[in-house]
Amino acid sequence: EAQVTQNPRYLITVTGKKLTVTCSQNMNHEYMSWYRQDPGLGLRQIYYSMNVEVTDKGDVPEGYKVSRKEKRNFPLILESPSPNQTSLYFCASRSPGTVNTGELFFGEGSRLTVL
Amino acid sequence: KNQVEQSPQSLIILEGKNCTLQCNYTVSPFSNLRWYKQDTGRGPVSLTIMTFSENTKSNGRYTATLDADTKQSSLHITASQLSDSASYICVVTFNTNAGKSTFGDGTTLTVKP
């Protein structure tokens, strides 16, 4: 089954304790991206990757890091989490398409709480 | 100001009724517009895609329209069902190498029996 898998789905942590949210896709997509979703603000892009070893900042990259060492995995790293990073996080991969028409396939989300 | 504005913010309708959701955008250069459905606690799922040259596209009870001149799109849901209760998100993609997408804040639809 084609899917994007995120882990963990739920996490409660404390300020300053480094954490990593993993994301893996089995569709051989080149493009992957991370988003956060907050009430009233919709989905905002954190980082995206056009291909292996190619990453770029989205709209809200502060406080986050990513890496893309292999095509299927795109982990999101919070080096020193703060309470304002409490949010619902989604990873997505995009199917290929002409003129950027590819469809985004989203994971099930990771709900992070930073105390 | 968001480059993609959706209205209404929320909507409550009775089962079996029709409804129309709106999306206005200022994104340029425009590549395409997609409507996604997001069930509570789940990731969004694509319903339709509209490119510059398309005016209307249907997917079952969902019909999307696009007016590229006025930069407006609508999603019409016919004969609503309880399972249509969800958030509907309009996503507009730039016509650039990176294909950056801008998301609307969504319309929360509640269908009541």
Side-chain angles (χ1 to χ4, degrees):
Chain A
E1 180 189 357
Q3 60 184 3
V4 177
T5 303
Q6 299 179 224
N7 279 296
R9 294 288 313 281
Y10 302 91
L11 179 64
I12 300 174
T13 189
V14 295
T15 300
K17 186 176 182 181
K18 179 180 179 180
L19 69 91
T20 299
V21 186
T22 64
C23 174
S24 180
Q25 51 98 1
N26 62 2
M27 295 169 279
N28 202 37
H29 290 164
E30 293 182 349
Y31 182 101
M32 296 185 73
S33 184
W34 275 102
Y35 303 87
R36 61 178 288 173
Q37 188 174 36
D38 302 290
L41 293 178
L43 282 153
R44 293 180 293 167
Q45 189 179 52
I46 303 171
Y47 269 94
Y48 64 96
S49 170
M50 298 290 286
N51 212 329
V52 176
E53 301 291 0
V54 180
T55 63
D56 212 340
K57 296 178 180 179
D59 298 317
V60 287
E62 296 78 18
Y64 305 94
K65 287 175 58 178
V66 293
S67 69
R68 188 87 182 277
K69 292 181 167 47
E70 46 193 345
K71 185 180 278 190
R72 65 181 294 122
N73 295 324
F74 189 44
L76 178 69
I77 303 158
L78 285 73
E79 293 272 4
S80 182
S82 62
N84 64 13
Q85 292 179 297
T86 293
S87 187
L88 179 58
Y89 291 86
F90 287 100
C91 178
S93 68
R94 191 173 71 192
S95 60
T98 58
V99 200
N100 300 317
T101 57
E103 175 182 348
L104 286 169
F105 291 84
F106 287 86
E108 291 293 290
S110 296
R111 185 168 292 281
L112 170 66
T113 301
V114 183
L115 302 175
Chain B
K1 181 173 165 61
N2 197 348
Q3 292 179 289
V4 178
E5 299 279 346
Q6 291 188 242
S7 62
Q9 187 173 11
S10 62
L11 183 62
I12 301 174
I13 62 173
L14 293 176
E15 186 178 12
K17 297 297 186 182
N18 305 334
C19 67
T20 300
L21 314 180
Q22 300 288 346
C23 175
N24 297 337
Y25 63 93
T26 58
V27 168
S28 181
F30 174 85
S31 171
N32 64 85
L33 184 150
R34 280 187 184 269
W35 284 92
Y36 285 80
K37 178 187 180 187
Q38 184 177 21
D39 293 317
T40 302
R42 308 292 298 274
V45 176
S46 178
L47 291 173
T48 67
I49 178 174
M50 307 287 289
T51 57
F52 186 87
S53 59
E54 295 175 305
N55 299 118
T56 184
K57 184 172 286 186
S58 292
N59 177 6
R61 293 180 297 102
Y62 301 102
T63 299
T65 65
L66 175 67
D67 185 333
D69 292 329
T70 62
K71 298 185 177 180
Q72 295 179 325
S73 177
S74 66
L75 180 69
H76 185 74
I77 304 175
T78 303
S80 61
Q81 300 176 358
L82 298 179
S83 59
D84 291 331
S85 295
S87 178
Y88 292 83
I89 303 171
C90 175
V91 183
V92 183
T93 299
F94 290 85
N95 186 18
T96 61
N97 286 340
K100 180 177 170 56
S101 295
T102 299
F103 292 74
D105 291 343
T107 292
T108 301
L109 174 65
T110 302
V111 180
K112 293 196 169 184

Short mmCIF file of all heavy atoms in Angstrom, two decimals, chain A residues 43-77:
data_model
loop_
_atom_site.label_atom_id
_atom_site.label_comp_id
_atom_site.label_asym_id
_atom_site.label_seq_id
_atom_site.Cartn_x
_atom_site.Cartn_y
_atom_site.Cartn_z
N LEU A 43 -2.19 25.05 7.27
CA LEU A 43 -0.92 24.32 7.09
C LEU A 43 0.17 25.27 6.62
O LEU A 43 -0.02 26.01 5.65
CB LEU A 43 -1.10 23.21 6.05
CG LEU A 43 -1.80 21.95 6.55
CD1 LEU A 43 -2.49 21.24 5.41
CD2 LEU A 43 -0.78 21.02 7.20
N ARG A 44 1.29 25.26 7.30
CA ARG A 44 2.43 26.10 6.91
C ARG A 44 3.65 25.21 6.69
O ARG A 44 3.94 24.33 7.49
CB ARG A 44 2.71 27.13 8.01
CG ARG A 44 1.61 28.18 8.16
CD ARG A 44 1.94 29.18 9.26
NE ARG A 44 1.93 28.55 10.58
CZ ARG A 44 2.41 29.10 11.68
NH1 ARG A 44 2.94 30.31 11.62
NH2 ARG A 44 2.35 28.47 12.83
N GLN A 45 4.35 25.50 5.61
CA GLN A 45 5.48 24.66 5.23
C GLN A 45 6.71 25.01 6.06
O GLN A 45 7.09 26.17 6.20
CB GLN A 45 5.78 24.83 3.75
CG GLN A 45 6.79 23.85 3.21
CD GLN A 45 7.03 24.04 1.72
OE1 GLN A 45 7.30 25.14 1.25
NE2 GLN A 45 6.91 22.95 0.96
N ILE A 46 7.37 23.97 6.58
CA ILE A 46 8.56 24.17 7.41
C ILE A 46 9.82 24.04 6.56
O ILE A 46 10.64 24.94 6.48
CB ILE A 46 8.59 23.14 8.55
CG1 ILE A 46 7.33 23.24 9.41
CG2 ILE A 46 9.83 23.35 9.42
CD1 ILE A 46 7.19 22.12 10.42
N TYR A 47 9.98 22.89 5.94
CA TYR A 47 11.09 22.61 5.04
C TYR A 47 10.59 21.71 3.93
O TYR A 47 9.60 21.01 4.09
CB TYR A 47 12.23 21.87 5.77
CG TYR A 47 13.29 22.74 6.38
CD1 TYR A 47 13.21 23.13 7.72
CD2 TYR A 47 14.39 23.17 5.63
CE1 TYR A 47 14.19 23.94 8.28
CE2 TYR A 47 15.37 23.98 6.20
CZ TYR A 47 15.26 24.35 7.53
OH TYR A 47 16.24 25.15 8.08
N TYR A 48 11.29 21.74 2.80
CA TYR A 48 10.98 20.81 1.73
C TYR A 48 12.28 20.32 1.10
O TYR A 48 13.35 20.91 1.29
CB TYR A 48 10.06 21.43 0.67
CG TYR A 48 10.63 22.58 -0.11
CD1 TYR A 48 11.23 22.38 -1.35
CD2 TYR A 48 10.56 23.88 0.39
CE1 TYR A 48 11.74 23.45 -2.08
CE2 TYR A 48 11.07 24.94 -0.33
CZ TYR A 48 11.65 24.73 -1.55
OH TYR A 48 12.17 25.79 -2.26
N SER A 49 12.15 19.23 0.37
CA SER A 49 13.31 18.63 -0.29
C SER A 49 12.92 18.20 -1.69
O SER A 49 11.97 17.44 -1.87
CB SER A 49 13.79 17.41 0.51
OG SER A 49 14.76 16.69 -0.22
N MET A 50 13.64 18.72 -2.66
CA MET A 50 13.35 18.38 -4.06
C MET A 50 13.93 17.02 -4.43
O MET A 50 13.47 16.38 -5.38
CB MET A 50 13.92 19.45 -4.99
CG MET A 50 13.32 20.83 -4.79
SD MET A 50 11.62 20.93 -5.33
CE MET A 50 11.86 20.94 -7.11
N ASN A 51 14.97 16.58 -3.70
CA ASN A 51 15.59 15.28 -3.98
C ASN A 51 16.63 14.99 -2.91
O ASN A 51 16.83 15.80 -1.99
CB ASN A 51 16.23 15.27 -5.37
CG ASN A 51 16.18 13.89 -6.03
OD1 ASN A 51 16.23 12.86 -5.34
ND2 ASN A 51 16.09 13.88 -7.34
N VAL A 52 17.28 13.88 -3.01
CA VAL A 52 18.30 13.48 -2.02
C VAL A 52 19.37 14.55 -1.93
O VAL A 52 19.82 15.07 -2.96
CB VAL A 52 18.93 12.13 -2.42
CG1 VAL A 52 20.05 11.75 -1.46
CG2 VAL A 52 17.86 11.04 -2.44
N GLU A 53 19.71 14.90 -0.68
CA GLU A 53 20.73 15.89 -0.39
C GLU A 53 20.36 17.31 -0.83
O GLU A 53 21.21 18.20 -0.82
CB GLU A 53 22.09 15.51 -1.01
CG GLU A 53 22.64 14.16 -0.55
CD GLU A 53 23.08 14.15 0.92
OE1 GLU A 53 22.96 15.19 1.61
OE2 GLU A 53 23.51 13.08 1.40
N VAL A 54 19.12 17.55 -1.17
CA VAL A 54 18.65 18.88 -1.56
C VAL A 54 17.49 19.28 -0.66
O VAL A 54 16.40 18.70 -0.73
CB VAL A 54 18.18 18.92 -3.03
CG1 VAL A 54 17.71 20.33 -3.39
CG2 VAL A 54 19.30 18.47 -3.97
N THR A 55 17.74 20.24 0.24
CA THR A 55 16.67 20.70 1.13
C THR A 55 16.62 22.22 1.09
O THR A 55 17.62 22.88 0.78
CB THR A 55 16.90 20.25 2.58
OG1 THR A 55 18.11 20.82 3.08
CG2 THR A 55 16.99 18.73 2.67
N ASP A 56 15.45 22.77 1.43
CA ASP A 56 15.30 24.22 1.41
C ASP A 56 14.25 24.64 2.42
O ASP A 56 13.36 23.85 2.80
CB ASP A 56 14.91 24.72 0.03
CG ASP A 56 15.48 26.12 -0.25
OD1 ASP A 56 15.83 26.82 0.74
OD2 ASP A 56 15.58 26.51 -1.41
N LYS A 57 14.36 25.88 2.88
CA LYS A 57 13.45 26.40 3.89
C LYS A 57 12.09 26.70 3.29
O LYS A 57 11.97 27.16 2.15
CB LYS A 57 14.03 27.69 4.50
CG LYS A 57 15.32 27.50 5.25
CD LYS A 57 15.86 28.83 5.76
CE LYS A 57 17.17 28.64 6.51
NZ LYS A 57 17.72 29.93 6.99
N GLY A 58 11.08 26.45 4.10
CA GLY A 58 9.73 26.84 3.75
C GLY A 58 9.40 28.17 4.40
O GLY A 58 10.27 29.04 4.53
N ASP A 59 8.17 28.31 4.84
CA ASP A 59 7.72 29.58 5.41
C ASP A 59 8.09 29.77 6.89
O ASP A 59 8.26 30.89 7.35
CB ASP A 59 6.20 29.71 5.26
CG ASP A 59 5.77 29.71 3.81
OD1 ASP A 59 6.44 30.39 3.01
OD2 ASP A 59 4.79 29.03 3.49
N VAL A 60 8.20 28.66 7.63
CA VAL A 60 8.44 28.76 9.08
C VAL A 60 9.55 27.80 9.50
O VAL A 60 9.34 26.89 10.29
CB VAL A 60 7.15 28.50 9.88
CG1 VAL A 60 6.19 29.65 9.76
CG2 VAL A 60 6.48 27.19 9.43
N PRO A 61 10.80 27.99 9.04
CA PRO A 61 11.86 27.02 9.31
C PRO A 61 12.56 27.19 10.66
O PRO A 61 13.31 26.29 11.08
CB PRO A 61 12.85 27.31 8.19
CG PRO A 61 12.69 28.79 7.94
CD PRO A 61 11.21 29.05 8.15
N GLU A 62 12.33 28.30 11.34
CA GLU A 62 13.09 28.59 12.56
C GLU A 62 12.85 27.53 13.63
O GLU A 62 11.71 27.21 13.97
CB GLU A 62 12.71 29.97 13.12
CG GLU A 62 13.07 31.15 12.22
CD GLU A 62 12.09 31.32 11.07
OE1 GLU A 62 10.97 30.77 11.17
OE2 GLU A 62 12.45 31.98 10.08
N GLY A 63 13.94 27.01 14.18
CA GLY A 63 13.86 26.03 15.24
C GLY A 63 13.81 24.59 14.76
O GLY A 63 13.72 23.66 15.58
N TYR A 64 13.88 24.40 13.45
CA TYR A 64 13.80 23.05 12.87
C TYR A 64 15.01 22.76 11.98
O TYR A 64 15.62 23.67 11.43
CB TYR A 64 12.53 22.91 12.03
CG TYR A 64 11.25 23.22 12.74
CD1 TYR A 64 10.67 24.49 12.67
CD2 TYR A 64 10.59 22.25 13.49
CE1 TYR A 64 9.50 24.79 13.32
CE2 TYR A 64 9.40 22.53 14.14
CZ TYR A 64 8.86 23.80 14.05
OH TYR A 64 7.70 24.09 14.70
N LYS A 65 15.33 21.49 11.86
CA LYS A 65 16.33 21.03 10.90
C LYS A 65 15.77 19.81 10.19
O LYS A 65 14.90 19.11 10.73
CB LYS A 65 17.63 20.65 11.61
CG LYS A 65 18.44 21.82 12.10
CD LYS A 65 19.66 21.35 12.89
CE LYS A 65 20.56 20.44 12.10
NZ LYS A 65 21.77 20.03 12.86
N VAL A 66 16.28 19.55 9.01
CA VAL A 66 15.89 18.35 8.26
C VAL A 66 17.14 17.78 7.60
O VAL A 66 18.18 18.42 7.52
CB VAL A 66 14.84 18.65 7.17
CG1 VAL A 66 13.51 19.06 7.78
CG2 VAL A 66 15.35 19.70 6.20
N SER A 67 17.00 16.55 7.15
CA SER A 67 18.05 15.94 6.35
C SER A 67 17.40 15.03 5.32
O SER A 67 16.30 14.53 5.54
CB SER A 67 19.04 15.16 7.22
OG SER A 67 18.42 14.01 7.77
N ARG A 68 18.08 14.82 4.21
CA ARG A 68 17.55 13.93 3.17
C ARG A 68 18.72 13.12 2.61
O ARG A 68 19.28 13.40 1.55
CB ARG A 68 16.87 14.74 2.06
CG ARG A 68 16.13 13.88 1.06
CD ARG A 68 14.74 13.59 1.46
NE ARG A 68 14.02 12.73 0.55
CZ ARG A 68 13.41 13.14 -0.56
NH1 ARG A 68 13.47 14.42 -0.92
NH2 ARG A 68 12.76 12.27 -1.31
N LYS A 69 19.06 12.09 3.35
CA LYS A 69 20.20 11.24 2.97
C LYS A 69 19.79 10.12 2.02
O LYS A 69 20.65 9.55 1.32
CB LYS A 69 20.87 10.67 4.21
CG LYS A 69 21.57 11.73 5.06
CD LYS A 69 22.25 11.13 6.27
CE LYS A 69 23.20 12.09 6.95
NZ LYS A 69 22.63 13.41 7.15
N GLU A 70 18.53 9.79 2.01
CA GLU A 70 18.02 8.78 1.09
C GLU A 70 16.63 9.20 0.66
O GLU A 70 15.96 9.96 1.36
CB GLU A 70 18.00 7.40 1.75
CG GLU A 70 17.43 7.40 3.14
CD GLU A 70 17.71 6.11 3.88
OE1 GLU A 70 18.08 5.11 3.26
OE2 GLU A 70 17.53 6.10 5.11
N LYS A 71 16.18 8.70 -0.47
CA LYS A 71 14.96 9.19 -1.06
C LYS A 71 13.74 8.95 -0.19
O LYS A 71 12.84 9.78 -0.11
CB LYS A 71 14.75 8.57 -2.44
CG LYS A 71 13.55 9.12 -3.20
CD LYS A 71 13.38 8.49 -4.55
CE LYS A 71 14.29 9.12 -5.56
NZ LYS A 71 13.97 8.67 -6.94
N ARG A 72 13.66 7.83 0.48
CA ARG A 72 12.44 7.48 1.18
C ARG A 72 12.27 8.18 2.53
O ARG A 72 11.16 8.25 3.03
CB ARG A 72 12.35 5.97 1.36
CG ARG A 72 13.43 5.38 2.24
CD ARG A 72 13.28 3.87 2.34
NE ARG A 72 12.06 3.49 3.03
CZ ARG A 72 11.11 2.73 2.51
NH1 ARG A 72 11.22 2.26 1.28
NH2 ARG A 72 10.03 2.42 3.20
N ASN A 73 13.34 8.67 3.12
CA ASN A 73 13.25 9.22 4.49
C ASN A 73 13.52 10.72 4.54
O ASN A 73 14.43 11.22 3.87
CB ASN A 73 14.24 8.51 5.40
CG ASN A 73 13.90 7.05 5.58
OD1 ASN A 73 12.74 6.68 5.63
ND2 ASN A 73 14.93 6.21 5.66
N PHE A 74 12.75 11.41 5.39
CA PHE A 74 12.91 12.86 5.52
C PHE A 74 12.59 13.24 6.98
O PHE A 74 11.51 13.72 7.30
CB PHE A 74 11.96 13.57 4.55
CG PHE A 74 12.17 15.04 4.41
CD1 PHE A 74 13.45 15.59 4.31
CD2 PHE A 74 11.09 15.91 4.35
CE1 PHE A 74 13.65 16.95 4.15
CE2 PHE A 74 11.27 17.27 4.20
CZ PHE A 74 12.54 17.79 4.11
N PRO A 75 13.53 13.03 7.90
CA PRO A 75 13.26 13.31 9.30
C PRO A 75 13.25 14.79 9.62
O PRO A 75 13.99 15.58 9.02
CB PRO A 75 14.42 12.60 10.02
CG PRO A 75 15.52 12.57 9.01
CD PRO A 75 14.85 12.42 7.68
N LEU A 76 12.41 15.16 10.60
CA LEU A 76 12.34 16.52 11.10
C LEU A 76 12.96 16.54 12.49
O LEU A 76 12.57 15.76 13.35
CB LEU A 76 10.88 16.98 11.19
CG LEU A 76 10.62 18.38 11.73
CD1 LEU A 76 11.11 19.44 10.73
CD2 LEU A 76 9.13 18.57 12.02
N ILE A 77 13.91 17.44 12.69
CA ILE A 77 14.66 17.49 13.93
C ILE A 77 14.39 18.79 14.66
O ILE A 77 14.49 19.88 14.07
CB ILE A 77 16.17 17.37 13.65
CG1 ILE A 77 16.45 16.07 12.88
CG2 ILE A 77 16.97 17.40 14.95
CD1 ILE A 77 17.75 16.10 12.11
#
